[in-house]
């Protein structure tokens, strides 16, 4: 099935057009600077043909019109008729407690996504804009929503309830949700395939380390805990986000510095993390290069980053009663042997033996532990778009079978 995968943000839309039977990306690209008169569409076809178009793209409707037009374009396109877009799969950040799986989009689903806007005001409204634009532009094409939170919805209550008055959970749904679920699901399943063992027998710790970072304890195929919480701010140290923090620190800073709600929000989300500690950059490549040049604060940022991951490995091994595999993924996880080595240092007691040569090798997907290491450590490039496309194809095929019955 040919599926258009859309990730609609506030001022950008990323897309991939995927043939799910062969896993091929027929074309991909993005529209940036939506809302401006100098927006840019960058489109890359499977054969490498690349085109950039600049113009006034004032909203998501127009942006998706451009995407459909370029897919149809005689010179740069990959289809001849709109109907060749057999389905659209949308990344939706927050499914709240409503969605524990991907779903076919109906008016009722749209309403529920709208209800969850309160939980993800920075993301869900834009995801919804993408959905509504497709409904208008491709009215006969089935659409599916794939939620970042869904994979974590099977967490036990004791893992998702905060130590706050329970009424607040009932009243405002304040609890741990977790994010990056599509990535954690994909890499844990891929790890079981690589290891040749059923996922139902494996306790896997997945570490998605990109600009945003989160870990998940995936026991027998189910996420039983994850580091991000009510929002993506909790847990690991990230590029610009603080991660775990004594909540009293927030009140203290607000009173000492006289900060408003929006200022403290910016401090925690945009000026903390690797950037805040190092004072140099939020980019791990620069942190490592500065550290190697003797910059002490970059070294400290690197150490805090790795130490926190190590701590959660211990915590999640305890939560699952052991660990069989650890997976590193996303920008840092996939590309930084330094981070992987530092995180796993001193974990020999858990049965982890890193093979430095394998860790440094250029292969993208690999096992980086020695053959006799009890716990396998893997590097697996994440592929959230493929998961969205496959979920979409499966749900749309099933709904067609049901309709025919
Ligand atoms: P993502 O959000 O998955 O695109 O990941 C972005 C992060 O990956 C940034 O912090 C980059 O610094 C980091 N990254 C990309 N390549 C490398 C690399 N070769 N070494 C270390 N970090 C990297």
């Amino acid at each position: 099935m040919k599926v258009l995968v859309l990730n609609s943000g506030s001022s950008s839309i990323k897309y991939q057009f995927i043939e799910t039977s062969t896993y091929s990306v027929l074309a991909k690209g993005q529209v940036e600077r939506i809302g401006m008169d100098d927006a840019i569409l960058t489109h890359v076809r499977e054969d490498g043909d690349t085109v950039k178009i600049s113009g006034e793209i004032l909203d998501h409707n127009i942006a998706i019109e451009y995407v459909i037009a370029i897919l149809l374009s005689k010179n740069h396109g990959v289809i001849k008729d709109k109907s060749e877009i057999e389905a659209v799969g949308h990344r939706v950040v927050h499914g709240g407690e409503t969605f524990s799986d991907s779903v076919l989009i109906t008016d009722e689903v749209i309403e529920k996504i709208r209800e969850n806007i309160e939980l993800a005001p920075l993301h869900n409204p834009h995801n919804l804009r993408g959905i509504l634009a497709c409904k208008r532009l491709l009215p006969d094409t089935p659409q599916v929503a794939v939620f970042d939170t869904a994979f974590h919805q099977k967490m036990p209550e004791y893992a998702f309830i905060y130590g706050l008055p329970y009424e607040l959970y009932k009243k405002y749904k304040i609890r741990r949700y977790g994010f990056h679920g599509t990535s954690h699901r994909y890499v844990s399943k891929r790890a079981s395939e690589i290891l040749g063992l059923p996922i139902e027998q494996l306790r896997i710790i997945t570490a998605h380390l990109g600009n945003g970072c989160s870990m998940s304890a995936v026991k027998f195929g189910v996420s039983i805990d994850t580091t991000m919480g009510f929002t993506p701010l909790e847990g690991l140290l990230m590029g610009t986000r603080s991660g775990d923090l004594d909540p009293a620190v927030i009140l203290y800073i607000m009173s000492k510095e006289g900060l408003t709600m929006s200022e403290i929000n910016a401090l925690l989300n945009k000026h903390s993390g690797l950037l805040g500690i190092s004072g140099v950059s939020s980019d791990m490549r620069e942190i490592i290069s500065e550290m190697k040049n003797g910059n002490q604060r970059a070294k400290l940022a690197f150490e805090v980053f790795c130490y926190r991951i190590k701590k959660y490995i211990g915590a999640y091994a305890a939560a699952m009663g052991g660990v069989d595999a650890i997976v590193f993924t996303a920008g840092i996880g996939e590309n930084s042997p330094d981070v992987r080595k530092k995180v796993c240092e001193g974990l020999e007691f858990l049965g982890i033996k890193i093979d430095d040569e394998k860790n440094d090798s250029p292969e993208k997907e690999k096992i980086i532990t020695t053959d006799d290491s009890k716990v396998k450590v893997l590097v697996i490039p994440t592929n959230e778009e493929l998961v969205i496309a496959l979920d979409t194809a499966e749900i749309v095929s099933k709904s067609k079978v049901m309709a025919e019955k």
Side-chain angles (χ1 to χ4, degrees), residues 208-212 282-285 288 330-332 335-336:
H208 177 110
L209 311 176
N211 273 321
S282 63
D283 189 309
M284 185 53 92
R285 283 165 293 202
I288 291 173
I332 300 172
N335 297 302
S336 177

Side-chain angles (χ1 to χ4, degrees), residues 118-119 166-175 177 230:
E118 257 195 345
L119 294 173
Y166 192 74
E167 298 72 42
L168 292 174
Y169 163 57
K170 285 283 154 207
K171 214 165 151 187
Y172 302 118
K173 298 274 175 236
I174 296 172
R175 49 159 287 180
Y177 288 99
F230 180 61

Side-chain angles (χ1 to χ4, degrees), residues 19 146 263 271 341 398:
E19 170 53 66
V146 179
E263 285 166 339
H271 306 293
K341 188 178 159 106
K398 270 191 199 151

Side-chain angles (χ1 to χ4, degrees), residues 4 68 124 155 217 223 231 245-246 287 294 316 331 333 339 352 375 390:
L4 176 61
I68 296 170
N124 272 28
M155 256 188 292
S223 168
T231 73
L245 196 69
D246 177 349
I287 296 287
Y316 286 170
V339 167
I352 297 171
V375 177
L390 293 176

Side-chain angles (χ1 to χ4, degrees), residues 71-268:
L71 288 172
L72 282 163
S73 134
K74 212 166 157 211
N75 293 329
H76 307 289
V78 287
I79 52 172
K80 293 199 169 62
D81 192 275
K82 258 189 191 182
S83 63
E84 288 176 57
I85 303 174
E86 293 171 89
V88 184
H90 295 267
R91 175 188 179 212
V92 180
V93 167
H94 219 306
E97 290 192 320
T98 326
F99 300 107
S100 54
D101 276 307
S102 307
V103 284
L104 190 68
I105 296 178
T106 59
D107 289 341
E108 200 190 339
V109 168
I110 288 177
E111 216 28 63
K112 296 280 179 204
I113 295 172
R114 195 170 276 132
E115 281 170 22
N116 284 322
I117 281 180
E118 257 195 345
L119 294 173
L122 300 181
H123 295 101
N124 272 28
H126 312 301
N127 303 155
L128 198 54
R129 270 188 204 119
I131 292 171
L132 295 174
C134 287
K135 212 168 168 253
R136 195 176 71 77
L137 297 164
L138 301 164
D140 301 322
T141 309
Q143 299 192 59
V144 166
V146 179
F147 301 92
D148 269 23
T149 49
F151 184 54
H152 304 300
Q153 269 299 304
K154 296 192 179 82
M155 256 188 292
E157 201 175 17
Y158 58 75
F160 72 68
I161 287 291
Y162 288 122
L164 294 167
Y166 192 74
E167 298 72 42
L168 292 174
Y169 163 57
K170 285 283 154 207
K171 214 165 151 187
Y172 302 118
K173 298 274 175 236
I174 296 172
R175 49 159 287 180
R176 175 182 311 287
Y177 288 99
F179 299 87
H180 294 142
T182 313
S183 177
H184 291 294
R185 173 155 67 104
Y186 173 74
V187 297
S188 54
K189 183 159 170 280
R190 186 78 198 111
S192 86
E193 288 164 6
I194 295 169
L195 297 172
L197 292 166
I199 195 149
E200 294 77 15
Q201 289 175 15
L202 289 169
R203 292 157 303 181
I204 306 175
I205 298 173
T206 47
H208 177 110
L209 311 176
N211 273 321
C213 301
S214 72
M215 288 168 68
S216 185
V218 185
K219 187 176 185 183
F220 310 147
V222 176
S223 168
I224 61 147
D225 204 349
T226 189
T227 55
M228 282 180 169
F230 180 61
T231 73
L233 186 55
E234 193 181 349
L236 302 178
L237 192 81
M238 310 182 209
T240 59
R241 292 183 213 142
S242 67
D244 291 339
L245 196 69
D246 177 349
V249 169
I250 298 166
L251 307 176
Y252 193 76
I253 298 173
M254 283 181 86
S255 88
K256 282 283 180 195
E257 299 267 315
L259 300 187
T260 62
M261 291 274 276
S262 88
E263 285 166 339
I264 191 79
N265 193 33
L267 185 142
L268 295 169

